[in-house]
Structures are given as structure tokens and as C-alpha cells.
Amino acid sequence: MADDQPMWGNNRAVAPTPGAAIITVDLEENFTIKGYHLSMIKDRQFDRRSRADPHKHVVEFIEVCGMFRYGDTNADDIKLKLFPSSLAGEAKIWFNELSPVMITTWEEMRQAF
């Protein structure tokens, strides 16, 4: 491949910024994910190769998210915010290629996945 050629063919649409498919979730200003919670998510990333069952991934992701609470913050908003971090490899590419602002709820994300 020549250096001036795009990595992907012209038939692939890429969101202008990673994660643009999810409409911004309005969480409290002081909301932060604790490091060990994020590690639990990233340790179980779905890449569509070594971890190839998307249904199992969603179940495991929901189980991990169910292990912690962040005050009165809606659990589905937390899942929606964290889900992109649970993806790697081809699955992350798929997510980044979704149309911008396509996903507004956890249920929409689950169905799209």
C-alpha cells in the first residue's frame, strides 16, 4: 500500500471522533470512574477474536457494572459511558465506524452490538 493511500477503502464510513456514536451522557460534574472499576472492564475487553461471543460479553459487562454504584447516577448511563472501554481490536473499529450520535440509550447500544 502506498503511503498516500488511506488505511481503509472509500466504502468505510468512520465517525469523525472515536466514541461519537454515543450522544454525550449527562453525568454529574463530580462523576469519575474509579481506576479499579475501569481495570475490571478493560481486563474483559471484547475483540471479536479471542473473545468472540458478543452476547456473553454483554452479560459479563453488565455483571461487572453491577458490582459498583456511583451514588444516584443512573446505572444505564454508567454502562453507556463505559461500554466503549470494553471493546478492543475489530470490535473497537466497528464501534468507531458507527454513525455519529446514533446511540442515545444503553438499550440502543446493546441492540446495536
Side-chain angles (χ1 to χ4, degrees):
M1 172 166 63
D3 289 336
D4 62 344
Q5 294 298 315
M7 184 173 187
W8 303 108
N10 290 336
N11 62 342
R12 296 186 81 158
V14 178
T17 50
I22 296 177
I23 194 165
T24 304
V25 178
D26 186 22
L27 300 174
E28 298 176 22
E29 288 181 24
N30 60 354
F31 178 84
T32 57
I33 300 291
K34 294 179 176 37
Y36 57 91
H37 292 158
L38 189 56
S39 291
M40 291 173 71
I41 300 292
K42 289 192 169 204
D43 287 347
R44 294 165 178 82
Q45 285 182 318
F46 179 82
D47 61 9
R48 210 177 119 199
R49 290 184 182 222
S50 61
R51 293 180 182 250
D53 184 345
H55 302 288
K56 182 177 178 185
H57 177 69
V58 169
V59 168
E60 290 176 359
F61 176 78
I62 291 170
E63 285 176 3
V64 169
C65 288
M67 293 179 176
F68 49 89
R69 294 279 178 241
Y70 286 93
D72 293 334
T73 306
N74 182 308
D76 283 351
D77 289 346
I78 293 170
K79 288 180 216 163
L80 192 58
K81 189 78 167 173
L82 286 174
F83 192 72
S85 297
S86 78
L87 304 176
E90 290 180 24
K92 189 69 164 200
I93 291 168
W94 164 83
F95 175 77
N96 287 334
E97 290 178 346
L98 292 174
S99 298
V101 193
M102 177 181 155
I103 309 292
T104 60
T105 66
W106 166 246
E107 184 59 25
E108 288 174 352
M109 181 75 257
R110 193 181 67 74
Q111 290 294 325
F113 187 68

